mmCIF file of all heavy atoms in Angstrom:
data_model
loop_
_atom_site.group_PDB
_atom_site.id
_atom_site.type_symbol
_atom_site.label_atom_id
_atom_site.label_comp_id
_atom_site.label_asym_id
_atom_site.label_seq_id
_atom_site.Cartn_x
_atom_site.Cartn_y
_atom_site.Cartn_z
ATOM 1 N N GLY M 19 -5.465 145.148 90.098
ATOM 2 C CA GLY M 19 -6.875 144.801 89.997
ATOM 3 C C GLY M 19 -7.491 144.442 91.325
ATOM 4 O O GLY M 19 -6.804 144.364 92.392
ATOM 5 N N MET M 20 -8.829 144.353 91.320
ATOM 6 C CA MET M 20 -9.587 144.015 92.474
ATOM 7 C C MET M 20 -10.868 143.248 92.086
ATOM 8 O O MET M 20 -11.364 143.455 90.944
ATOM 9 C CB MET M 20 -9.960 145.270 93.278
ATOM 10 C CG MET M 20 -11.027 145.109 94.413
ATOM 11 S SD MET M 20 -11.816 146.644 94.905
ATOM 12 C CE MET M 20 -10.609 147.213 96.117
ATOM 13 N N TYR M 21 -11.429 142.475 92.999
ATOM 14 C CA TYR M 21 -12.771 141.948 92.756
ATOM 15 C C TYR M 21 -13.577 142.085 94.014
ATOM 16 O O TYR M 21 -12.998 142.188 95.170
ATOM 17 C CB TYR M 21 -12.726 140.505 92.260
ATOM 18 C CG TYR M 21 -12.454 139.469 93.329
ATOM 19 C CD1 TYR M 21 -13.473 138.747 93.975
ATOM 20 C CD2 TYR M 21 -11.126 139.140 93.656
ATOM 21 C CE1 TYR M 21 -13.197 137.772 94.873
ATOM 22 C CE2 TYR M 21 -10.814 138.175 94.601
ATOM 23 C CZ TYR M 21 -11.863 137.478 95.246
ATOM 24 O OH TYR M 21 -11.586 136.538 96.176
ATOM 25 N N GLY M 22 -14.862 142.145 93.880
ATOM 26 C CA GLY M 22 -15.765 142.272 95.014
ATOM 27 C C GLY M 22 -17.217 142.109 94.605
ATOM 28 O O GLY M 22 -17.482 141.870 93.390
ATOM 29 N N LEU M 23 -18.099 142.287 95.576
ATOM 30 C CA LEU M 23 -19.525 142.090 95.311
ATOM 31 C C LEU M 23 -20.267 143.401 95.499
ATOM 32 O O LEU M 23 -19.921 144.219 96.379
ATOM 33 C CB LEU M 23 -20.092 141.123 96.322
ATOM 34 C CG LEU M 23 -19.905 139.579 96.026
ATOM 35 C CD1 LEU M 23 -18.453 139.234 96.061
ATOM 36 C CD2 LEU M 23 -20.660 138.768 97.119
ATOM 37 N N ALA M 24 -21.213 143.609 94.615
ATOM 38 C CA ALA M 24 -22.114 144.777 94.695
ATOM 39 C C ALA M 24 -23.512 144.322 95.007
ATOM 40 O O ALA M 24 -24.150 143.615 94.215
ATOM 41 C CB ALA M 24 -22.081 145.592 93.395
ATOM 42 N N ILE M 25 -24.012 144.706 96.213
ATOM 43 C CA ILE M 25 -25.350 144.256 96.636
ATOM 44 C C ILE M 25 -26.016 145.490 97.169
ATOM 45 O O ILE M 25 -25.558 146.116 98.191
ATOM 46 C CB ILE M 25 -25.339 143.157 97.694
ATOM 47 C CG1 ILE M 25 -24.448 141.974 97.243
ATOM 48 C CG2 ILE M 25 -26.763 142.712 97.967
ATOM 49 C CD1 ILE M 25 -24.279 140.917 98.330
ATOM 50 N N GLY M 26 -27.138 145.858 96.557
ATOM 51 C CA GLY M 26 -27.807 147.104 97.026
ATOM 52 C C GLY M 26 -26.860 148.319 96.804
ATOM 53 O O GLY M 26 -26.259 148.423 95.754
ATOM 54 N N ARG M 27 -26.747 149.160 97.806
ATOM 55 C CA ARG M 27 -25.839 150.272 97.744
ATOM 56 C C ARG M 27 -24.594 150.016 98.598
ATOM 57 O O ARG M 27 -23.958 150.943 99.142
ATOM 58 C CB ARG M 27 -26.563 151.556 98.236
ATOM 59 C CG ARG M 27 -27.623 152.035 97.223
ATOM 60 C CD ARG M 27 -28.309 153.283 97.676
ATOM 61 N NE ARG M 27 -29.254 153.709 96.666
ATOM 62 C CZ ARG M 27 -29.231 154.797 95.925
ATOM 63 N NH1 ARG M 27 -28.199 155.691 96.166
ATOM 64 N NH2 ARG M 27 -30.107 155.125 95.053
ATOM 65 N N CYS M 28 -24.181 148.778 98.658
ATOM 66 C CA CYS M 28 -23.006 148.343 99.417
ATOM 67 C C CYS M 28 -22.087 147.631 98.458
ATOM 68 O O CYS M 28 -22.479 146.753 97.642
ATOM 69 C CB CYS M 28 -23.355 147.414 100.557
ATOM 70 S SG CYS M 28 -24.579 148.121 101.717
ATOM 71 N N PHE M 29 -20.807 147.897 98.513
ATOM 72 C CA PHE M 29 -19.766 147.169 97.769
ATOM 73 C C PHE M 29 -18.867 146.488 98.773
ATOM 74 O O PHE M 29 -18.341 147.043 99.741
ATOM 75 C CB PHE M 29 -18.924 148.152 96.902
ATOM 76 C CG PHE M 29 -17.893 147.388 96.111
ATOM 77 C CD1 PHE M 29 -18.255 146.686 94.895
ATOM 78 C CD2 PHE M 29 -16.605 147.321 96.486
ATOM 79 C CE1 PHE M 29 -17.349 146.079 94.127
ATOM 80 C CE2 PHE M 29 -15.606 146.628 95.742
ATOM 81 C CZ PHE M 29 -16.001 145.986 94.560
ATOM 82 N N PHE M 30 -18.631 145.181 98.565
ATOM 83 C CA PHE M 30 -17.844 144.346 99.451
ATOM 84 C C PHE M 30 -16.506 144.020 98.767
ATOM 85 O O PHE M 30 -16.526 143.126 97.878
ATOM 86 C CB PHE M 30 -18.589 143.091 99.844
ATOM 87 C CG PHE M 30 -19.933 143.377 100.468
ATOM 88 C CD1 PHE M 30 -21.063 143.522 99.726
ATOM 89 C CD2 PHE M 30 -20.044 143.399 101.856
ATOM 90 C CE1 PHE M 30 -22.273 143.802 100.333
ATOM 91 C CE2 PHE M 30 -21.275 143.657 102.490
ATOM 92 C CZ PHE M 30 -22.372 143.874 101.700
ATOM 93 N N GLY M 31 -15.457 144.665 99.078
ATOM 94 C CA GLY M 31 -14.198 144.413 98.458
ATOM 95 C C GLY M 31 -13.611 143.093 99.004
ATOM 96 O O GLY M 31 -13.612 142.882 100.199
ATOM 97 N N GLU M 32 -13.113 142.224 98.081
ATOM 98 C CA GLU M 32 -12.658 140.921 98.510
ATOM 99 C C GLU M 32 -11.148 140.801 98.451
ATOM 100 O O GLU M 32 -10.523 140.410 99.451
ATOM 101 C CB GLU M 32 -13.254 139.826 97.589
ATOM 102 C CG GLU M 32 -14.542 139.261 98.087
ATOM 103 C CD GLU M 32 -14.427 138.598 99.485
ATOM 104 O OE1 GLU M 32 -13.559 137.689 99.617
ATOM 105 O OE2 GLU M 32 -15.084 138.984 100.391
ATOM 106 N N SER M 33 -10.485 141.217 97.384
ATOM 107 C CA SER M 33 -8.989 141.097 97.326
ATOM 108 C C SER M 33 -8.545 142.071 96.227
ATOM 109 O O SER M 33 -9.289 142.375 95.245
ATOM 110 C CB SER M 33 -8.582 139.666 97.032
ATOM 111 O OG SER M 33 -7.230 139.555 97.040
ATOM 112 N N MET M 34 -7.333 142.456 96.377
ATOM 113 C CA MET M 34 -6.729 143.451 95.436
ATOM 114 C C MET M 34 -5.267 143.142 95.266
ATOM 115 O O MET M 34 -4.590 142.645 96.197
ATOM 116 C CB MET M 34 -6.936 144.885 96.083
ATOM 117 C CG MET M 34 -6.384 146.003 95.237
ATOM 118 S SD MET M 34 -6.959 147.613 95.843
ATOM 119 C CE MET M 34 -6.515 147.536 97.586
ATOM 120 N N PHE M 35 -4.700 143.421 94.094
ATOM 121 C CA PHE M 35 -3.276 143.287 93.890
ATOM 122 C C PHE M 35 -2.731 144.456 93.117
ATOM 123 O O PHE M 35 -3.447 145.228 92.445
ATOM 124 C CB PHE M 35 -3.016 141.979 93.159
ATOM 125 C CG PHE M 35 -3.434 141.982 91.709
ATOM 126 C CD1 PHE M 35 -2.595 142.417 90.630
ATOM 127 C CD2 PHE M 35 -4.686 141.602 91.359
ATOM 128 C CE1 PHE M 35 -2.998 142.405 89.376
ATOM 129 C CE2 PHE M 35 -5.143 141.624 90.020
ATOM 130 C CZ PHE M 35 -4.296 142.028 89.047
ATOM 131 N N SER M 36 -1.415 144.636 93.131
ATOM 132 C CA SER M 36 -0.802 145.736 92.409
ATOM 133 C C SER M 36 0.519 145.152 91.805
ATOM 134 O O SER M 36 1.369 144.593 92.528
ATOM 135 C CB SER M 36 -0.480 146.905 93.329
ATOM 136 O OG SER M 36 0.051 148.036 92.609
ATOM 137 N N LEU M 37 0.729 145.345 90.493
ATOM 138 C CA LEU M 37 1.924 144.919 89.849
ATOM 139 C C LEU M 37 2.823 146.064 89.578
ATOM 140 O O LEU M 37 3.993 145.905 89.224
ATOM 141 C CB LEU M 37 1.581 144.182 88.539
ATOM 142 C CG LEU M 37 0.721 142.909 88.654
ATOM 143 C CD1 LEU M 37 0.417 142.337 87.286
ATOM 144 C CD2 LEU M 37 1.395 141.882 89.531
ATOM 145 N N GLU M 38 2.324 147.311 89.647
ATOM 146 C CA GLU M 38 3.094 148.508 89.480
ATOM 147 C C GLU M 38 2.828 149.478 90.584
ATOM 148 O O GLU M 38 1.701 149.467 91.144
ATOM 149 C CB GLU M 38 2.828 149.124 88.079
ATOM 150 C CG GLU M 38 3.152 148.220 86.921
ATOM 151 C CD GLU M 38 2.969 148.933 85.593
ATOM 152 O OE1 GLU M 38 2.915 150.139 85.528
ATOM 153 O OE2 GLU M 38 2.795 148.167 84.630
ATOM 154 N N THR M 39 3.785 150.277 90.960
ATOM 155 C CA THR M 39 3.719 151.244 92.025
ATOM 156 C C THR M 39 2.498 152.126 91.864
ATOM 157 O O THR M 39 2.257 152.700 90.744
ATOM 158 C CB THR M 39 4.930 152.135 92.126
ATOM 159 O OG1 THR M 39 6.110 151.308 92.279
ATOM 160 C CG2 THR M 39 4.872 153.087 93.267
ATOM 161 N N ASN M 40 1.631 152.198 92.926
ATOM 162 C CA ASN M 40 0.495 153.057 93.005
ATOM 163 C C ASN M 40 -0.706 152.554 92.186
ATOM 164 O O ASN M 40 -1.778 153.271 92.185
ATOM 165 C CB ASN M 40 0.819 154.499 92.631
ATOM 166 C CG ASN M 40 1.601 155.217 93.696
ATOM 167 O OD1 ASN M 40 1.512 154.913 94.836
ATOM 168 N ND2 ASN M 40 2.404 156.207 93.300
ATOM 169 N N ALA M 41 -0.585 151.461 91.483
ATOM 170 C CA ALA M 41 -1.700 151.001 90.669
ATOM 171 C C ALA M 41 -2.977 150.744 91.527
ATOM 172 O O ALA M 41 -4.082 151.114 91.178
ATOM 173 C CB ALA M 41 -1.349 149.761 89.875
ATOM 174 N N SER M 42 -2.837 150.109 92.668
ATOM 175 C CA SER M 42 -3.909 149.795 93.505
ATOM 176 C C SER M 42 -4.546 151.078 94.145
ATOM 177 O O SER M 42 -5.726 151.127 94.365
ATOM 178 C CB SER M 42 -3.577 148.748 94.622
ATOM 179 O OG SER M 42 -2.566 149.309 95.465
ATOM 180 N N LYS M 43 -3.661 152.035 94.408
ATOM 181 C CA LYS M 43 -4.193 153.323 94.969
ATOM 182 C C LYS M 43 -4.968 154.021 93.939
ATOM 183 O O LYS M 43 -6.039 154.627 94.278
ATOM 184 C CB LYS M 43 -3.019 154.205 95.433
ATOM 185 C CG LYS M 43 -2.324 153.608 96.726
ATOM 186 C CD LYS M 43 -1.195 154.554 97.225
ATOM 187 C CE LYS M 43 -0.545 153.984 98.388
ATOM 188 N NZ LYS M 43 0.526 154.851 98.884
ATOM 189 N N VAL M 44 -4.560 154.097 92.687
ATOM 190 C CA VAL M 44 -5.312 154.681 91.580
ATOM 191 C C VAL M 44 -6.621 153.976 91.462
ATOM 192 O O VAL M 44 -7.719 154.658 91.279
ATOM 193 C CB VAL M 44 -4.529 154.650 90.292
ATOM 194 C CG1 VAL M 44 -5.357 155.036 89.115
ATOM 195 C CG2 VAL M 44 -3.329 155.527 90.386
ATOM 196 N N LEU M 45 -6.672 152.637 91.558
ATOM 197 C CA LEU M 45 -7.875 151.892 91.511
ATOM 198 C C LEU M 45 -8.847 152.372 92.582
ATOM 199 O O LEU M 45 -10.054 152.546 92.312
ATOM 200 C CB LEU M 45 -7.561 150.415 91.637
ATOM 201 C CG LEU M 45 -8.669 149.383 91.539
ATOM 202 C CD1 LEU M 45 -8.151 147.975 91.088
ATOM 203 C CD2 LEU M 45 -9.493 149.211 92.819
ATOM 204 N N MET M 46 -8.326 152.444 93.799
ATOM 205 C CA MET M 46 -9.174 152.808 94.943
ATOM 206 C C MET M 46 -9.828 154.158 94.771
ATOM 207 O O MET M 46 -10.978 154.430 95.045
ATOM 208 C CB MET M 46 -8.345 152.757 96.249
ATOM 209 C CG MET M 46 -8.060 151.405 96.706
ATOM 210 S SD MET M 46 -9.460 150.486 97.348
ATOM 211 C CE MET M 46 -9.653 151.322 98.903
ATOM 212 N N VAL M 47 -9.087 155.142 94.208
ATOM 213 C CA VAL M 47 -9.591 156.490 93.988
ATOM 214 C C VAL M 47 -10.686 156.448 92.941
ATOM 215 O O VAL M 47 -11.753 157.052 93.078
ATOM 216 C CB VAL M 47 -8.461 157.464 93.509
ATOM 217 C CG1 VAL M 47 -9.085 158.831 93.090
ATOM 218 C CG2 VAL M 47 -7.477 157.602 94.670
ATOM 219 N N HIS M 48 -10.466 155.770 91.883
ATOM 220 C CA HIS M 48 -11.482 155.642 90.739
ATOM 221 C C HIS M 48 -12.726 154.903 91.290
ATOM 222 O O HIS M 48 -13.870 155.373 91.048
ATOM 223 C CB HIS M 48 -10.934 154.956 89.579
ATOM 224 C CG HIS M 48 -10.107 155.842 88.728
ATOM 225 N ND1 HIS M 48 -10.577 156.346 87.508
ATOM 226 C CD2 HIS M 48 -8.825 156.354 88.845
ATOM 227 C CE1 HIS M 48 -9.637 157.105 86.979
ATOM 228 N NE2 HIS M 48 -8.570 157.128 87.740
ATOM 229 N N LEU M 49 -12.537 153.805 91.942
ATOM 230 C CA LEU M 49 -13.671 153.025 92.438
ATOM 231 C C LEU M 49 -14.510 153.795 93.440
ATOM 232 O O LEU M 49 -15.763 153.844 93.356
ATOM 233 C CB LEU M 49 -13.182 151.666 93.026
ATOM 234 C CG LEU M 49 -14.317 150.782 93.633
ATOM 235 C CD1 LEU M 49 -15.291 150.450 92.506
ATOM 236 C CD2 LEU M 49 -13.657 149.549 94.201
ATOM 237 N N ALA M 50 -13.836 154.394 94.395
ATOM 238 C CA ALA M 50 -14.563 155.141 95.457
ATOM 239 C C ALA M 50 -15.387 156.250 94.838
ATOM 240 O O ALA M 50 -16.557 156.512 95.190
ATOM 241 C CB ALA M 50 -13.627 155.669 96.502
ATOM 242 N N ASN M 51 -14.815 157.024 93.942
ATOM 243 C CA ASN M 51 -15.551 158.134 93.313
ATOM 244 C C ASN M 51 -16.669 157.665 92.428
ATOM 245 O O ASN M 51 -17.716 158.267 92.402
ATOM 246 C CB ASN M 51 -14.567 159.048 92.573
ATOM 247 C CG ASN M 51 -13.778 159.964 93.447
ATOM 248 O OD1 ASN M 51 -14.296 161.037 93.898
ATOM 249 N ND2 ASN M 51 -12.542 159.592 93.786
#
């Protein structure tokens, strides 16, 4: 998981964790797209 702030057309990532291999990377791909 991750949390962050969305203001205007900017997203400010605050912190992220992964409990299973590649989970945070999958998150990043989905979020960025």
Side-chain angles (χ1 to χ4, degrees):
M20 168 196 276
Y21 75 97
L23 278 63
I25 309 175
R27 289 180 179 245
C28 305
F29 182 80
F30 302 86
E32 271 298 305
S33 185
M34 179 167 56
F35 70 91
S36 186
L37 300 177
E38 297 185 21
T39 302
N40 286 332
S42 62
K43 292 182 179 180
V44 169
L45 183 157
M46 289 287 288
V47 172
H48 279 256
L49 178 59
N51 281 280

